[in-house]
């Protein structure tokens, strides 16, 4: 059984409704390559970021013993389904297509803006008429596939930036929070192009469809953090004053 210590009436109700659990340690899969959501801290060599802090807080509140597993993005859902870990916290937007394969908790980030960047002076016409780089299997890649642009996919988000700088791609599309540091640190080499987009239903914990109990536990802990303001505090810490907060 999962080892757990209930911290709220909501969690108690969720567990009472769900029955016995199956294992002691909850393994959480993350990519470690998508700051500020998740990344490897160069100083410590450990997973860091908003989702690491949030995941640790959720596990502590629920009394769960949790371990983190780093997994490449392009196989992160198949490895969850195969049982190589029990949950995903990897900047994964809740979409209908993904919900055909896995389930999600309630969101722990409201839908974040998606944005395009290009080299300085890039035209907005490239959004639908150019070559746009995106990370494989993302909602951004799916969006580009529905436009008139040519989609160029890469396994990692850093490779999309390299493709732009090497002029293999005209634009990069990704979550704006990921792109901001690249633009800020580029000394004018890179700039945002066009307007922000709203894609997906926010970001949640990915769970196997059969694991109703674990989903209920995470749901209760997320709801508790929303209610006491601690989730908003983490969002502000990692995404700044522009981060979308829960009311």
């Amino acid at each position: 059984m999962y080892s757990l210590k209930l911290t709220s009436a909501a969690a108690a109700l969720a567990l009472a409704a769900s029955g016995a659990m199956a294992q002691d340690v909850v393994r959480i899969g993350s990519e470690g390559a998508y700051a500020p959501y998740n990344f490897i801290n160069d100083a410590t060599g450990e997973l860091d970021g908003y989702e690491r802090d949030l995941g640790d807080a959720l596990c502590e509140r629920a009394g769960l013993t949790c371990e983190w597993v780093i997994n490449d993005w392009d196989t992160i859902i198949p490895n969850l389904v195969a049982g190589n870990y029990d949950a995903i916290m990897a900047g994964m937007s809740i979409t209908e297509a993904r919900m055909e394969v896995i389930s999600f908790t309630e969101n722990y980030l409201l839908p974040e803006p998606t944005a395009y960047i290009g080299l300085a002076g890039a035209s907005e016409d490239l959004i639908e008429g150019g070559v746009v780089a995106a990370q494989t299997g993302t909602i951004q890649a799916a969006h580009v596939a529905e436009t008139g642009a040519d989609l160029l996919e890469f396994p990692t988000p850093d490779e999309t930036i390299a493709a732009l700088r090497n002029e293999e791609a005209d634009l990069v599309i990704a979550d704006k929070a990921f792109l901001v540091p690249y633009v800020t640190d580029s000394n004018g080499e890179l700039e945002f192009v066009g307007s922000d987009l709203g894609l997906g239903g926010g970001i949640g914990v990915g769970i196997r469809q059969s694991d109703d109990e674990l989903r209920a536990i995470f749901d209760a802990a997320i709801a508790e953090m929303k209610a006491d303001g601690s989730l908003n505090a983490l969002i502000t810490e990692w995404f700044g004053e522009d981060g979308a907060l829960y009311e």
Side-chain angles (χ1 to χ4, degrees), residues 9 11 13-14 17 28 48 60 77 97 121 164 170 175-176 178 180 199 217 221 226 241:
L13 288 172
I28 304 174
D48 204 345
E60 181 178 359
I77 288 179
L164 175 61
D170 298 311
D175 289 299
K176 190 171 186 178
F178 170 75
V180 164
L199 303 176
I217 290 173
K226 287 178 179 177
E241 296 300 327

Side-chain angles (χ1 to χ4, degrees), residues 11 16 36 86 93 96 114 146 164 170 186 227 245:
D86 308 295
S93 294
E96 291 184 6
T114 284
E146 295 176 353
L164 175 61
D170 298 311
S186 73
L245 302 180

Side-chain angles (χ1 to χ4, degrees), residues 58-83:
L58 295 174
C59 290
E60 181 178 359
R61 283 172 181 257
L64 295 172
T65 301
C66 293
E67 294 179 354
W68 291 89
V69 180
I70 304 301
N71 194 100
D72 290 342
W73 174 261
D74 59 354
T75 60
I76 203 164
I77 288 179
N79 276 313
L80 171 69
V81 174

Side-chain angles (χ1 to χ4, degrees), residues 59-235:
C59 290
E60 181 178 359
R61 283 172 181 257
L64 295 172
T65 301
C66 293
E67 294 179 354
W68 291 89
V69 180
I70 304 301
N71 194 100
D72 290 342
W73 174 261
D74 59 354
T75 60
I76 203 164
I77 288 179
N79 276 313
L80 171 69
V81 174
N84 293 330
Y85 35 80
D86 308 295
I88 294 172
M89 295 185 70
M92 183 171 287
S93 294
I94 300 167
T95 68
E96 291 184 6
R98 287 175 180 150
M99 290 183 69
E100 293 177 2
V101 182
I102 64 174
S103 66
F104 285 93
T105 63
E106 62 180 86
N107 63 42
Y108 56 74
L109 266 180
L110 293 166
E112 289 285 304
T114 284
Y116 290 90
I117 64 170
L119 298 177
S123 168
E124 287 190 36
D125 293 341
L126 294 169
I127 291 174
E128 294 201 1
V131 178
V132 180
Q135 187 177 15
T136 303
T138 60
I139 56 172
Q140 288 84 12
H143 173 76
V144 174
E146 295 176 353
T147 71
D150 291 327
L151 173 62
L152 188 60
E153 295 183 89
F154 292 91
T156 69
D158 286 345
E159 289 175 279
T160 67
I161 304 296
L164 175 61
R165 286 185 161 137
N166 293 336
E167 300 187 18
E168 299 172 52
D170 298 311
L171 301 173
V172 167
I173 185 172
D175 289 299
K176 190 171 186 178
F178 170 75
L179 295 172
V180 164
Y182 287 96
V183 174
T184 302
D185 297 341
S186 73
N187 295 317
E189 177 195 11
L190 306 177
E191 62 184 22
F192 287 102
V193 179
S195 302
D196 294 349
L197 304 172
L199 303 176
I203 293 173
V205 183
I207 305 285
R208 281 185 294 276
Q209 291 180 341
S210 60
D211 208 342
D212 294 338
E213 184 171 8
L214 185 59
R215 183 175 60 254
I217 290 173
F218 276 120
D219 269 338
I222 292 167
E224 189 177 84
M225 290 188 69
K226 287 178 179 177
D228 67 17
S230 56
L231 186 58
N232 279 347
L234 273 182
I235 293 169

